[in-house]
């Protein structure tokens, strides 16, 4: 059953407000219309494409990364509160998958999570000392992985415990517990 245009556009706007990272292809399936119809609706509603929405969210929510350069973070960092939480988004493309089955290589998902855990640390030197990771399901070409990191504990021994969960849509596809070493002010002198 087709939804009238005004109702579809209202629902489209609500959906994008809830999830600014949703792709036109996903919206097209959700509303049972063509991708072109979604694009025209977005244009009428003055809603930018997903890349621009991601950049906009990122520009409002980023502390300055100290432990890495931004080019060393795997995925697009869209939120960073040092020593608290961070989010990155990675679109799985051809270079991230095995050519024979178009499944993302595990080290790509690990690299996204690990670089996010390290970037979260409020110190110029941050190194992973331990990682306990779990893959819940395969990730395929064209899917978007949203990784969310949280500091769980700042230890007195110069280590920080960070947990990272990576999602495709609402489904958790990867999670890991990382222990990150930080040099700390006393060792910088």
């Amino acid at each position: 059953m087709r939804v009238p245009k005004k109702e579809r556009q209202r629902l489209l706007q609500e959906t994008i407000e809830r999830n600014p990272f949703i792709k036109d292809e996903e919206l097209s399936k959700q509303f049972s219309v063509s991708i072109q119809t979604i694009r025209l609706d977005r244009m009428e509603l003055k809603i930018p494409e997903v890349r621009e929405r991601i950049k906009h969210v990122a520009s409002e929510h980023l502390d300055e990364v100290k432990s890495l350069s931004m080019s060393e973070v795997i995925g697009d960092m869209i939120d960073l509160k040092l020593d608290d939480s961070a989010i990155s988004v990675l679109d799985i493309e051809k270079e991230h998958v095995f050519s024979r089955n178009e499944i993302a290589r595990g080290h790509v998902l690990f690299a996204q999570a690990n670089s996010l855990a390290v970037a979260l640390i409020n110190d110029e030197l941050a190194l992973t000392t331990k990682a306990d990771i779990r893959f819940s399901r395969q990730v395929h070409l064209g899917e978007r992985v949203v990784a969310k990191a949280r500091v769980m504990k700042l230890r007195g021994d110069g280590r920080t415990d960070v947990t990272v969960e990576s999602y495709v849509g609402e489904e958790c596809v990867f999670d890991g517990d990382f222990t990150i070493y930080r040099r700390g002010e006393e060792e910088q002198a």
Side-chain angles (χ1 to χ4, degrees), residues 175-187:
D175 67 284
D177 298 311
F178 296 82
T179 302
I180 310 294
Y181 166 80
R182 62 175 52 206
R183 180 174 44 196
E185 292 176 24
E186 65 281 351
E187 294 180 39

Side-chain angles (χ1 to χ4, degrees), residues 14-29:
E14 287 176 7
T15 302
I16 292 173
E17 284 172 8
R18 275 194 317 276
N19 179 6
F21 316 121
I22 193 165
K23 294 179 181 179
D24 288 348
E25 293 80 4
E26 296 168 279
L27 291 165
S28 142
K29 288 177 187 171

Side-chain angles (χ1 to χ4, degrees), residues 30-124:
Q30 182 175 333
F31 292 105
S32 302
V33 295
S34 70
I35 293 172
Q36 187 59 31
T37 298
I38 294 296
R39 289 179 181 148
L40 290 170
D41 283 350
R42 275 193 311 92
M43 285 174 51
E44 273 186 46
L45 297 168
K46 297 183 177 23
I47 298 172
E49 66 180 343
V50 70
R51 286 259 180 228
E52 291 304 312
R53 294 193 306 265
I54 288 171
K55 287 178 190 174
H56 176 72
V57 170
S59 69
E60 294 181 343
H61 299 278
L62 286 181
D63 284 349
E64 186 177 334
V65 177
K66 292 184 177 180
S67 57
L68 300 170
S69 73
M70 284 302 280
S71 65
E72 294 171 317
V73 176
I74 307 301
D76 295 321
M77 178 112 43
I78 60 164
D79 187 32
L80 175 63
K81 295 176 188 87
L82 291 172
D83 284 342
D84 181 45
S85 61
I87 300 174
S88 73
V89 176
L90 177 64
D91 289 322
I92 302 300
E93 298 176 354
K94 277 274 192 214
E95 67 267 18
H96 303 128
V97 300
F98 294 108
S99 59
R100 71 179 188 282
N101 55 21
E102 296 187 332
I103 294 172
R105 295 179 175 98
H107 69 267
V108 172
L109 298 178
F110 174 80
Q112 179 189 21
N114 186 63
S115 67
L116 189 61
V118 170
L120 182 55
I121 303 303
N122 188 12
D123 199 314
E124 289 184 9

